[in-house]
Amino acid sequence: MTIYRIVIGEDWRNTKTLASCTTLAKAKESAKSYALNGWYFAIYKATDENPMGELVGRWTYQSGTMKKFYMPGERSVKKKSLWA
């Protein structure tokens, strides 16, 4: 059985597990309904084989929209020019 676990908090250092949902769409909607402006949330996909869960994604909630969140040092830096 697959369960999507929602972790939410004011920032990525201070989070708590909020809820579990059966589908990813329900998990995103549930996280959006609980998140306050500027809050961080992540969703993990837990299965019987992996009860801790595998990270699906991280987002921040800003004025009704979700924006992808990258941990410090996680995002690769692309060169702006081929010749640089």
Side-chain angles (χ1 to χ4, degrees):
M1 183 173 168
T2 301
I3 293 177
Y4 293 91
R5 193 168 32 110
I6 304 163
V7 176
I8 193 168
E10 293 180 35
D11 65 6
W12 62 272
R13 292 177 213 91
N14 184 19
T15 61
K16 293 184 180 179
T17 301
L18 175 69
S20 297
C21 298
T22 55
T23 66
L24 182 57
K26 286 182 184 177
K28 284 184 179 182
E29 288 302 316
S30 180
K32 282 172 49 176
S33 68
Y34 286 105
L36 298 176
N37 203 27
W39 277 33
Y40 160 88
F41 66 91
I43 298 176
Y44 292 86
K45 179 181 177 182
T47 60
D48 293 335
E49 294 83 28
N50 185 6
M52 289 300 292
E54 182 179 324
L55 179 68
V56 174
R58 299 180 184 105
W59 297 271
T60 54
Y61 185 75
Q62 284 292 343
S63 304
T65 60
M66 296 171 25
K67 182 180 177 188
K68 190 79 171 161
F69 177 83
Y70 296 95
M71 295 296 281
E74 182 179 54
R75 192 174 196 175
S76 63
V77 178
K78 293 182 181 179
K79 291 183 179 181
K80 294 190 182 224
S81 171
L82 183 64
W83 308 105

